[in-house]
Amino acid sequence: MSTGQGTTNLVRTATKCEQRRGVEGKDSSANAQQNLHQTVSKYTESRHRAIVALRCAMSHRAVNMVNDPLYKEEVELLRPGTKIPAPMTVSRDLKTLYQRGSALVVEYFSVRL
């Protein structure tokens, strides 16, 4: 097998992979990153609230961690002007996630038995 065939196979495989992932355009990694950013990194307030609630639940953090000055600075650095949820909002979100999640678990196991 010549070097040219190896490169052709690599390009062909990469093209198929990009098609499966839905990446448009020709090859460049900058283009792939841009498309990845456009599809993955879309900010919404509800998504931010969900991530904060999950962080509190999974990492055993207090809901008032949102009042931490360094957390506020981090959020402002990453996305200036972002509204940070109040601790009471995070608490309500946690309760909602628990209630809806536990209902799904009960439903899942009731169907399985």
Side-chain angles (χ1 to χ4, degrees):
M1 172 158 86
S2 73
T3 305
Q5 287 176 320
T7 304
T8 302
N9 288 336
L10 178 64
V11 170
R12 187 179 314 119
T13 303
T15 302
K16 285 180 183 178
C17 179
E18 289 173 353
Q19 289 171 346
R20 275 195 315 261
R21 292 184 322 147
V23 176
E24 296 176 10
K26 206 74 170 134
D27 48 32
S28 92
S29 61
N31 186 32
Q33 182 62 37
Q34 181 181 8
N35 286 332
L36 179 64
H37 176 74
Q38 289 172 351
T39 58
V40 174
S41 298
K42 294 194 177 178
Y43 174 87
T44 65
E45 184 179 341
S46 58
R47 186 174 181 192
H48 183 201
R49 285 175 48 187
I51 290 170
V52 169
L54 290 172
R55 175 189 286 169
C56 289
M58 294 173 68
S59 301
H60 307 285
R61 296 181 188 270
V63 294
N64 66 355
M65 58 78 73
V66 295
N67 288 332
D68 183 330
L70 289 176
Y71 174 72
K72 290 179 176 184
E73 188 175 331
E74 177 186 23
V75 170
E76 185 64 24
L77 172 72
L78 296 173
R79 190 168 191 276
T82 298
K83 178 184 171 192
I84 297 174
M88 183 60 82
T89 302
V90 177
S91 179
R92 278 194 310 261
D93 290 343
L94 277 168
K95 288 175 187 172
T96 300
L97 286 170
Y98 176 79
Q99 289 169 346
R100 291 185 183 171
S102 60
L104 291 172
V105 169
V106 168
E107 179 184 335
Y108 175 82
F109 284 111
S110 67
V111 171
R112 301 287 181 227
L113 297 176

